[in-house]
Amino acid sequence: MNIARKGPGTGSRSPRARLHTTAPRRSLNGTWQFRIFPGLAAAPDDGWDGDDAGWALGEEWTSIPVPAHWVLEGHGRPAYTNVRFPFPIDPPNPPDENPVGDYRLVFDAAPEFLEGAVLRFDGVESAAEVRLNGELLGETRGSRLTHEFDVRGKLRATGNVLAVRVAQFSDASYLEDQDMWWLPGIFRDVDLLAVPDGGVWDVFAVTDYEATDGTGTVDLSVTRNGAAGEPARFRIPELDVDLEVTGGGVIGVGGVEPWSAETPRLYTAELVTPAETVTLRLGFRRIEVRDSVLLVNGAPIQLRGVNRHEHDPERGRVFSPERLEQDLLLMKQHNVNAVRTSHYPPHPALLDRADELGLFVVLECDLETHGFEEIGWRGNPSADPQWRGAYLDRMQRTVHRDKNHASIVMWSLGNESGTGENLEAMAAWTRAFDPSRLIHYEGDWSSTYVDVYSRMYASFEETRRIGEEVLTPAPFGATAAEMHRRSLPFMQCEYAHAMGNSPGGLEEYQELFDRYPRLAGGFIWEWIEHGIATTGADGRRGYLYGGDFGEHTHDGNFVIDGLVSADREVRPGLVALAHWYSPVRIEVTDGAVVIQNRYDHVDLSGLRFVWKAEADGRELGRGELKVGRVASWEKVEVALPDELADLAESPEIVTVEAVLVDKQLWAEAGHVVGRGQRAWLTPAEPPLETSVPPRSAFDPVSLRLRELGGLRLEGPVTSLWRVPTDNDRRPGWEEMDKPAYAARWELLGLNRLLTRVVSATEQDGALVVRTRTVPPGRDCAVDAEYVWRQAGPNAMTVEVTLVPDGTWPVEWPRLGLDLVLEGAPTGMAWRGLGPGPSYPDLAAGPFWGDHEASADELLTPYVLPQESGARAGVRHASIGTEQGTLVVTVLPGGASGGVEEVAVTVSPYSRKTLATTAHQHELVADGRTHVSIDLFQAGVGTAACGEGVLPRYRLAARPGRVTLLLESREG
């Protein structure tokens, strides 16, 4: 087995399309025999690949499921790296410490396979040598690429021995450095496929749609097996197409309904031969670029996309139909219309469902050489002619397998592989073979051989400049390459890095995409967190990340970035994204509702617009607006219904929701695709009678409240720190010369603030406590005044004024008050924004109303514990604990001003515990309820990979004022 050469696999047949055919297929998935060795030199040639009667399985053999990754089946350990290779850069040589696994299966073959068949491997990481009955069939390269080996004349009726030797690392590993777990093994399906004489080997059906007259064509190319014999018949029953075909040709089909992500119309076609029938699902569409704008079917489109790796927390990249369905339904339900298959071809079932559900796909080749960036791209295979065959083979296998899918609008050459002539060769072959689609590659910004100008994590300002660039004539000194780039639409193949409490800035990016026609949208990084499931000592489910398996080289929790958890739990970032990706924008004003259709191809007739009026937590009335059809990207103003004026009392909240009229493949009728609100919230009434509270209710030293109507608590105390988020732990790309905010806060001591009492006096019927809060070893401070009044046996009001003093060298994450209540939290009910959390630059999605959260819903269970769970816009909150309930009401500030809404965070953990615990499932609660009431908060940004918090969402030292009514209640 040669795993140190610069070339493609050997021995397999030419790549072809994945066909749905009546030809027999037998799955070879199941239980195989398996053994493993520490390296290739230790792997013996002991006759294991044949059926010699003198050979028998030794003690080193065990069983293993196929498909599976052997490191997730008890043989070795997984490892995660983002950029750096986990072995020396010495191409094409893998390291000597390189586990090699032998797989062995004995199977019988039915007669229909003996006349002609292929063995198909859909995914083996990273290289395999395949033998059948002792005969070498060939080798695979391209872990996520299909290889088919001809077994005609080699297969027998009984006792076939299929022997596959797999190396964890090989020369191919230098081309597969894709920011994910290194997971070796046969992890996709293995099949035996009949290839009958006179049947169909390959089909390429290139569809086209002419928007001016609504007609379609099929450019058909057919390759037969062996002697063709009778001509094949090509049929599209719905379009009355039924004709003989030999090699193929262009077929006019007349009027058709076009395919798009919004109208995923498919036509069933058949290619019929005496030996087999192949079924195709055809979607008619045209992808093109005109005046630097991306068009589908003659209309500009906006890619509202996500990047999707394949991942299951137990089985790694082994395909799960249930997980796939979860992913795609969640995407559609959250208004996602596009998927980039980062950074390799997915399991082919994804393309079938994308065709059916309606998702644009950027199909990426199995290629990334990012680790060479660590050495200045020296020796990068992209620029080495000896690797060209491997590059072309990878692209050809990528394109051929999925070429008949309507959902694919772009072929991507790969990811983060530098520059070089091998990439240009891939593009040239792809363009010549399939000019119906666009070619994408981000890594070469010159963009000379691609059809879209693609970047990742371009800043807001740079994105704006790119959008504006084509609005003015090109400079006279512009080169031909620059002129070509200016002619291309722009997309962010990765943006808004969704790691932990993130991504901030969605609104600003979306505003840019909407403003400039050249900006075709982009793809959030990324869809799924790649945690590997574990069970803690207490039985709690958790997830592991880089370094948790003892790897010497790893990138920690950088693999935990996603809009959904590894188990597909929706993160707050996806809720916000659904708002900005919504196909309809709704604005409720004092007297009207402004509605914008943001679909690219359809009107609003598929939606109903339902209004609801509420006051004091009660529904006052509901009805439906008459909106009409409203063409794509048009805006209309609809008067508020007369029923609102006839209500017995004035509403505090009017909500308008756009919901599906009919059931779709991805959601039921009534599913909400967009929402708008207007709130006229009535301020709470302050208590009429108050008195000086007893000193016994306060701690004698700190003068913090310690008892309220039998409820034991401690606080409030001035607080500025938050548990660092993933974004706080890294500097934004715009300030890489500075430490991350978490480090700056730590250096300043925001997590170690000390408070002393300056004075405590009784005046004007109140207890007035003044404090000064200062980081240790610093002289910058926050001076606070608390004016306490008793408002009943179980209630107090407190007017809080916070004023910064001195020079604060860094912005704050928050300005607020912390309290600790005895007893673990049982949940919270509140009036404000919800039901989920929000932060200043991650605020979309939550809506005004009365909401509840159970104890388990108070925080977002990010794998790496961090700040989360803030409910914003809160006017009133009931915080339940095991010892009772604390009710917090924001009172109007009056002439002295003050905030009328706060952000409330309730947690069973202290911030210190959250900040010092490495995994969510390792958190230990202290039996108390930790409450933060924030007047102001900073945004979260995307500094983990990209731009940090925008200046408008940063929190410079500033004063704040709030008046609260605190009440204790039983239960």
Side-chain angles (χ1 to χ4, degrees):
M1 183 181 190
N2 185 355
I3 54 174
R5 57 183 178 79
K6 299 178 180 181
T10 60
S12 61
R13 291 197 61 173
S14 59
R16 60 170 176 159
R18 176 61 57 100
L19 301 178
H20 295 281
T21 172
T22 58
R25 177 183 72 87
R26 181 187 171 185
S27 172
L28 298 182
N29 294 348
T31 302
W32 292 41
Q33 297 300 313
F34 180 75
R35 66 183 180 181
I36 192 167
F37 300 96
L40 186 59
D45 292 324
D46 55 2
W48 70 284
D49 59 340
D51 57 349
D52 186 344
W55 185 88
L57 296 176
E59 292 182 356
E60 74 274 18
W61 287 90
T62 184
S63 62
I64 194 170
V66 169
H69 301 284
W70 72 60
V71 292
L72 298 180
E73 300 294 331
H75 306 281
R77 296 176 294 183
Y80 164 65
T81 61
N82 171 23
V83 177
R84 183 170 300 180
F85 290 112
F87 46 79
I89 299 178
D90 182 23
N93 302 295
D96 289 342
E97 296 77 17
N98 181 19
V100 170
D102 285 345
Y103 291 79
R104 191 175 194 270
L105 178 72
V106 180
F107 68 97
D108 298 335
E112 56 264 31
F113 296 104
L114 299 179
E115 296 300 320
V118 293
L119 273 170
R120 182 173 70 193
F121 291 82
D122 278 330
V124 185
E125 184 172 330
S126 69
E129 183 182 75
V130 182
R131 295 177 179 269
L132 180 66
N133 300 325
E135 185 174 345
L136 176 65
L137 299 181
E139 294 184 348
T140 69
R141 292 295 190 275
S143 298
R144 286 147 289 273
L145 300 173
T146 296
H147 294 76
E148 293 180 312
F149 297 96
D150 194 340
V151 294
R152 182 188 297 265
K154 303 177 179 67
L155 202 63
R156 56 199 183 201
T158 61
N160 292 284
V161 178
L162 177 57
V164 185
R165 175 162 285 176
V166 179
Q168 175 164 357
F169 300 117
S170 68
D171 46 75
S173 301
Y174 288 99
L175 309 184
E176 297 177 1
D177 185 26
Q178 288 139 319
D179 185 12
M180 59 188 185
W181 295 98
W182 298 88
L183 299 174
I186 304 174
F187 70 94
R188 283 187 182 166
D189 299 330
V190 182
D191 291 302
L192 179 65
L193 307 173
V195 182
D197 278 339
V200 177
W201 173 250
D202 196 12
V203 180
F204 188 18
V206 182
T207 61
D208 190 27
Y209 175 74
E210 177 52 61
T212 58
D213 61 11
T215 59
T217 60
V218 181
D219 187 351
L220 189 67
S221 176
V222 180
T223 304
R224 304 284 292 275
N225 294 316
E230 296 181 24
R233 294 204 70 83
F234 181 67
R235 297 171 180 157
I236 310 177
E238 273 192 274
L239 300 176
D240 295 325
V241 173
D242 187 345
L243 67 160
E244 287 187 352
V245 294
T246 51
V250 178
I251 303 166
V253 299
V256 294
E257 299 173 45
W259 187 99
S260 74
E262 296 161 6
T263 57
R265 179 67 161 93
L266 295 173
Y267 293 84
T268 299
E270 291 181 336
L271 189 65
V272 182
T273 72
E276 67 178 314
T277 297
V278 171
T279 301
L280 302 170
R281 300 276 278 162
L282 302 180
F284 293 88
R285 79 285 180 272
R286 180 181 294 175
I287 304 110
E288 60 185 325
V289 172
R290 193 183 307 154
D291 298 327
S292 74
V293 177
L294 176 61
L295 307 177
V296 169
N297 301 333
I301 67 164
Q302 195 174 97
L303 297 169
R304 300 165 185 148
V306 295
N307 283 275
R308 179 186 180 270
H309 268 288
E310 296 189 318
H311 182 76
D312 180 88
E314 274 89 17
R315 304 205 66 199
R317 287 187 285 278
V318 174
F319 175 66
S320 162
E322 295 79 17
R323 291 295 191 199
L324 174 65
E325 195 70 1
Q326 270 185 297
D327 285 343
L328 301 190
L329 294 186
L330 279 171
M331 288 177 193
K332 290 291 289 187
Q333 290 163 6
H334 288 82
N335 301 320
V336 170
N337 75 356
V339 180
R340 178 178 174 231
T341 67
S342 50
H343 298 293
Y344 42 82
H347 189 281
L350 183 145
L351 285 311
D352 290 334
R353 289 301 277 157
D355 291 346
E356 295 162 355
L357 295 172
L359 287 163
F360 295 122
V361 175
V362 176
L363 199 289
E364 196 142 272
C365 182
D366 190 5
L367 177 67
E368 180 168 339
T369 65
H370 203 173
F372 286 88
E373 186 179 39
E374 298 271 308
I375 57 170
W377 296 107
R378 290 191 305 276
N380 181 21
S382 298
D384 183 347
Q386 294 184 65
W387 287 97
R388 185 160 304 163
Y391 273 60
L392 287 170
D393 181 73
R394 285 172 179 263
M395 196 65 198
Q396 290 162 3
R397 292 183 185 281
T398 296
V399 171
H400 275 291
R401 192 197 72 171
D402 298 325
K403 60 195 173 189
N404 291 316
H405 286 282
S407 54
I408 298 174
V409 295
M410 297 183 201
W411 298 115
S412 179
L413 305 181
N415 186 65
E416 293 175 319
S417 296
T419 61
E421 293 180 356
N422 293 339
L423 294 162
E424 296 185 47
M426 294 168 74
W429 178 87
T430 305
R431 183 170 288 107
F433 178 77
D434 181 18
S436 72
R437 295 180 174 97
L438 306 183
I439 295 174
H440 167 270
Y441 178 64
E442 183 273 341
D444 189 344
W445 293 359
S446 68
S447 305
T448 55
Y449 47 87
V450 296
D451 301 312
V452 290
Y453 178 28
S454 177
R455 295 283 301 281
M456 53 177 67
Y457 311 108
S459 69
F460 302 104
E461 182 59 31
E462 184 176 14
T463 302
R464 181 189 62 79
R465 289 198 303 268
I466 292 170
E468 290 180 345
E469 180 183 31
V470 297
L471 301 181
T472 57
F476 289 109
T479 65
E482 289 168 340
M483 293 300 292
H484 172 70
R485 186 179 57 77
R486 286 172 61 96
S487 73
L488 305 179
F490 175 78
M491 76 176 214
Q492 295 248 43
C493 67
E494 297 176 22
Y495 80 107
H497 194 262
M499 185 175 183
N501 192 348
S502 192
L506 293 174
E507 177 179 5
E508 287 72 24
Y509 274 122
Q510 192 60 49
E511 193 275 332
L512 290 168
F513 297 157
D514 291 347
R515 187 192 308 174
Y516 300 107
R518 186 190 190 189
L519 305 184
F523 298 80
I524 302 294
W525 186 266
E526 64 172 304
W527 177 248
I528 310 169
E529 298 174 353
H530 299 211
I532 292 180
T534 187
T535 301
D538 59 356
R540 282 192 291 175
R541 183 176 176 83
Y543 307 96
L544 303 179
Y545 47 74
D548 289 335
F549 296 93
E551 311 102 294
H552 296 295
T553 301
H554 65 85
D555 285 293
N557 76 315
F558 207 69
V559 76
I560 307 294
D561 46 0
L563 295 166
V564 297
S565 75
D567 279 317
R568 277 53 173 186
E569 301 159 312
V570 172
R571 297 304 197 203
L574 181 56
V575 176
L577 188 70
H579 173 82
W580 296 116
Y581 276 7
S582 174
V584 59
R585 190 80 78 235
I586 303 170
E587 180 187 358
V588 183
T589 67
D590 284 340
V593 181
V594 180
I595 297 171
Q596 182 188 32
N597 179 2
R598 298 169 57 79
Y599 285 113
D600 295 320
H601 290 102
V602 300
D603 60 33
L604 294 183
S605 59
L607 301 177
R608 293 190 301 119
F609 291 83
V610 180
W611 65 266
K612 178 175 65 173
E614 300 170 274
D616 196 27
R618 295 171 291 109
E619 183 176 310
L620 304 179
R622 66 169 53 231
E624 187 169 330
L625 296 177
K626 292 180 172 58
V627 174
R629 302 184 72 86
V630 188
S632 174
W633 285 97
E634 284 190 0
K635 185 182 290 188
V636 297
E637 184 174 293
V638 181
L640 287 173
D642 294 337
E643 296 98 311
L644 275 176
D646 297 336
L647 295 174
E649 58 183 294
S650 297
E652 290 186 308
I653 302 171
V654 173
T655 305
V656 177
E657 293 179 335
V659 303
L660 293 176
V661 172
D662 299 315
K663 180 180 179 179
Q664 303 294 319
L665 290 175
W666 47 271
E668 297 294 326
H671 170 77
V672 178
V673 300
R675 178 187 290 112
Q677 284 188 314
R678 180 65 185 269
W680 303 266
L681 299 180
T682 304
E685 293 288 338
L688 297 176
E689 297 184 4
T690 62
S691 60
V692 178
R695 288 289 186 106
S696 60
F698 298 84
D699 182 90
V701 177
S702 67
L703 286 177
R704 297 171 193 166
L705 188 65
R706 65 181 181 183
E707 190 273 336
L708 180 66
L711 191 70
R712 298 185 305 280
L713 71 161
E714 180 186 355
V717 61
T718 304
S719 184
L720 305 176
W721 187 62
R722 72 183 180 201
V723 185
T725 66
D726 285 300
N727 292 321
D728 294 333
R729 297 171 185 268
R730 294 171 175 85
W733 286 12
E734 77 283 2
E735 49 183 8
M736 293 295 287
D737 58 331
K738 296 180 180 179
Y741 268 98
R744 287 186 257 176
W745 296 334
E746 169 77 20
L747 180 64
L748 181 60
L750 288 191
N751 57 329
R752 303 183 302 278
L753 295 176
L754 299 173
T755 298
R756 70 176 178 87
V757 176
V758 176
S759 66
T761 59
E762 294 182 13
Q763 58 189 68
D764 299 327
L767 173 63
V768 180
V769 177
R770 295 182 175 86
T771 66
R772 187 172 176 85
T773 299
V774 189
R778 306 286 178 168
D779 61 355
C780 49
V782 176
D783 293 321
E785 181 182 80
Y786 300 86
V787 180
W788 292 96
R789 292 183 174 89
Q790 192 79 35
N794 300 323
M796 289 189 192
T797 67
V798 58
E799 300 172 24
V800 183
T801 304
L802 304 172
V803 180
D805 182 52
T807 300
W808 286 85
V810 64
E811 295 99 336
W812 298 337
R814 46 185 283 264
L815 174 62
L817 308 169
D818 287 351
L819 304 92
V820 180
L821 311 179
E822 292 299 320
T826 58
M828 180 173 73
W830 72 99
R831 178 169 299 166
L833 291 170
S838 57
Y839 291 81
D841 59 350
L842 190 60
F847 53 91
W848 293 104
D850 288 79
H851 306 283
E852 294 183 357
S854 67
D856 291 337
E857 296 169 330
L858 293 171
L859 300 182
T860 304
Y862 295 115
V863 175
L864 176 68
Q866 56 196 275
E867 191 78 17
S868 73
R871 267 62 179 196
V874 173
R875 298 291 189 100
H876 176 88
S878 297
I879 302 164
T881 75
E882 291 176 342
Q883 65 146 344
T885 299
L886 175 67
V887 180
V888 180
T889 304
V890 182
L891 299 177
S896 60
V899 300
E900 296 189 356
E901 301 162 1
V902 294
V904 178
T905 305
V906 180
S907 171
Y909 311 108
S910 70
R911 281 195 168 86
K912 180 179 180 180
T913 295
L914 289 165
T916 56
T917 304
H919 300 85
Q920 177 73 28
H921 68 278
E922 297 169 344
L923 286 168
V924 178
D926 60 10
R928 300 186 295 171
T929 298
H930 301 266
V931 179
S932 293
I933 301 170
D934 291 335
L935 287 67
F936 307 108
Q937 291 188 321
V940 293
T942 59
C945 188
E947 195 157 6
V949 178
L950 279 170
R952 69 189 70 171
Y953 299 119
R954 298 185 185 187
L955 182 58
R958 60 171 296 181
R961 181 181 175 87
V962 67
T963 302
L964 304 173
L965 171 63
L966 306 179
E967 303 171 85
S968 68
R969 296 178 185 170
E970 294 184 0

